[in-house]
Amino acid sequence: DKAGHRHFMAKEIAEQPAVLAEAIRHYLPADEDAVRLPGAGLDFSGVQRLTLVACGTAYYACLTAKYWFEKLARIPVEVDIASEFRYREPPLPAGTVALFVSQSGETADTLAALRYCRGKADRIVSVVNVPESSIARESDLALPIHAGVEIGVASTKAFTCQLAVLLILALKAAADRGEMTPEALSDHISALRGLPHLMNTALEADDEIRDAAQQLSSARDVLFLGRGLMFPLALEGALKLKEISYIHAEAYASGELKHGPIALIDSMMPVVVMAPKDALFDKTVSNMQEVMAREGKVMLISNPAGLAAAGDGVWLSIAMPDVQDAVAPILYAVPAQLLAYHTAVAKGTDVDQPRNLAKSVTVE
Ligand code: F6R
């Protein structure tokens, strides 16, 4: 049932405020500023290292989580693609917690990576959408994301719920390790609680994004740029676009632009820049100006202050509401998803069942 939407993907994008509220409610009890984990939980105070492993969109959720765990909880983090991790047979030093992220909980490479860690990691934790799945069952601790059934092949609501659960876990880690003051913890918790509402505002950019997508749909190649927490999101935006619109898209950390990809820039190559006005904003803007100086067409996704400061001369701009820095990637996932969705609709591709793709990849 598409609940009045044209595609499951549109329905699942629109459901995000509700499912996020549900995910947050499960981990953040309403009456206190603390994190509650199911079962025996997990104490991060003695954890030496985190290894995060996943595929595809779930891998980008892990890349985002690396910034959170390192910056907020000061835990060294390694992130790997499951198909690489499992055959590289990496050593896992004592004190390693291995964490697997998977919507389906059945992805063959992720499951094999988990089995490799059995007996080598201190704890095996998973962040899953399907609580009865193999990955959930074979973990010491399974953390459900409460996104509900996801039907569209391109993952949307599972991604933002994965991010929310991973951020909550990073906050728990920061608190366990004494790396965060109670005030900072409650600031982050309020930012998370405010997110479903902000996400509704982000969804209101739908018409604007549809118009932008109309223009994007004639491109052959698209480049996505972001820094810090926006870099994994740039990767996710590019993946979504190529999966469902079949437009070739790539993402780079903004600072990498001059190390090669700037050679691609001309008036035919739209560049999507995701950059809320945060501490790294000016650096991203200078990369964006390098693109514009070479006739590159920039689509800037930012908040009102960011658009006021740097929106001059850009090709298209998309406004997002102001948001606390740590939760920004969860919010900015919405325009990335809508951009891919509307571009695919404009091109007339099969949004829910893109060619050559399966919802659950249970073979290597
Ligand atoms: C992209 C997408 C895939 C999955 C990947 C992992 O939109 O859906 O990249 O994220 O196949 O799947 P799960 O999360 O089920 O392990």
Side-chain angles (χ1 to χ4, degrees), residues 55-59 101-107 110 135 150 152-156 162 236 239-240 243 358-361:
C55 303
T57 287
Y59 169 70
V101 180
S102 174
Q103 186 284 127
S104 63
E106 301 296 346
T107 300
T110 310
I135 289 173
E150 191 180 64
V153 164
S155 187
T156 52
Q162 284 162 356
E236 170 63 2
L239 177 65
K240 283 294 89 100
E243 271 185 298
K359 182 67 185 159
S360 182
V361 185

